Amino acid sequence: MTADVLPHFLPTDLAQTLAGAERLVTTCQSASMVWHAWGNVAAPALVLLHGGSGSWTHWLRCIGPLRDAGWRVLVPDLPGFGDSDLPIGCSDVDDLPPHLHAGLLQLQTAGRCSTAVNVVGFSFGGMAGTLWLAEHPQDAAQLVLVGAPGMGLTVPERIPLQGWRHLPTLQAQEAVHRHNLMALMLHAPESLDDLALHLHTANVQRDRMPRRRLSSTDIVARVLPLVSARVSAIFGEHDALYRGRLSELAAAMPLMARHWGQWHVVPGAGHWVQHEAALVFNATLMRILSLGDAVTRDAKL
């Protein structure tokens, strides 16, 4: 266990909020996975899974409030992203469940988190969380999907993302990063501030799993009925993945889940809802988590 190193470009107030982080490392199939942790090790654990081409920093604006609300917040860099290794043969989300399961068990065995676990997955992380808990239902009591793809619902127009690695100058690359953030991740132009740009730029540069394809399939829709955890969902009103189809998704998801919880839409937000509308998102997530705890306690009585 070592102190975590925060990104140098964080605003002072956010850096102070995230001070005291722990950097924990687990291993599976000879690959290391880095977890970033905050809060009391005896508190209920909340695992936050980031999106594709991302890292733990997708959750920067959520960690402090969730920790202060009494959670042990665990935010891994998924295999192939951030500081974590890309395991040999790992090419898409369906290769991740063994690493998440082994990592959680190692943290629990080492006394770094409790056995009371909830999972929140954003985008690619929502896919990872669904597949993980379908294979290892004992690992968590609740799953919250945030902007998760893999539902088999496509939008009429393809999201116009652009490549950047071939561009010769940082200025040209930055222009593409700005374009891609507005095309997929954010809705309001004012949300594309220096912090969002710095986070995105740092994250995409460390993406070593670029050819993943399962997000465009119905893999989550097919696997969700196998998940025994209570399932809820939070989506941004203007999520680019479901433009014009969010109402269909709202009707379909409760029918997919064995144990359905709640559906929430955050007004005015895009795909990266927990960053763009952090105050509303955090309050919504805490309501879902508190109700889930109450349901679990009642079931044990």
Side-chain angles (χ1 to χ4, degrees), residues 38-50:
W38 291 260
N40 189 329
V41 296
L46 185 61
V47 178
L48 306 178
L49 305 177
H50 64 76

Side-chain angles (χ1 to χ4, degrees), residues 153-161 179-188 235-249 269-271:
L153 295 175
T154 58
V155 295
E157 297 181 5
R158 184 177 180 181
I159 298 171
L161 298 178
H179 167 85
N180 289 345
L181 277 166
M182 293 309 304
L184 173 61
M185 299 290 276
L186 302 169
H187 171 66
F235 283 75
E237 178 187 11
H238 302 286
D239 193 318
L241 296 183
Y242 297 98
R243 186 172 289 117
R245 305 200 68 177
L246 207 56
S247 60
E248 295 177 60
L249 184 63
H271 182 58

Side-chain angles (χ1 to χ4, degrees), residues 75-96:
V75 198
D77 285 341
L78 292 171
F81 304 95
D83 290 340
S84 294
D85 292 340
L86 175 65
I88 296 174
C90 182
S91 61
D92 212 324
V93 67
D94 55 341
D95 296 315
L96 300 190

Side-chain angles (χ1 to χ4, degrees), residues 101-164:
H101 173 65
L104 180 66
L105 288 183
Q106 289 170 35
L107 294 178
Q108 290 171 333
T109 300
R112 304 317 302 163
C113 75
S114 72
T115 57
V117 179
N118 292 271
V119 174
V120 185
F122 165 57
S123 197
F124 180 83
M127 299 171 64
T130 301
L131 271 61
W132 170 21
L133 297 185
E135 293 185 21
H136 304 281
Q138 73 280 7
D139 283 358
Q142 186 167 198
L143 171 66
V144 183
L145 299 179
V146 181
M151 299 294 183
L153 295 175
T154 58
V155 295
E157 297 181 5
R158 184 177 180 181
I159 298 171
L161 298 178
Q162 300 176 359
W164 59 274

Side-chain angles (χ1 to χ4, degrees), residues 2-24:
T2 60
D4 202 8
V5 178
L6 301 177
H8 66 86
F9 48 75
L10 293 188
T12 301
D13 58 343
L14 194 51
Q16 291 174 344
T17 296
L18 297 175
E22 303 168 57
R23 187 178 191 271
L24 310 171

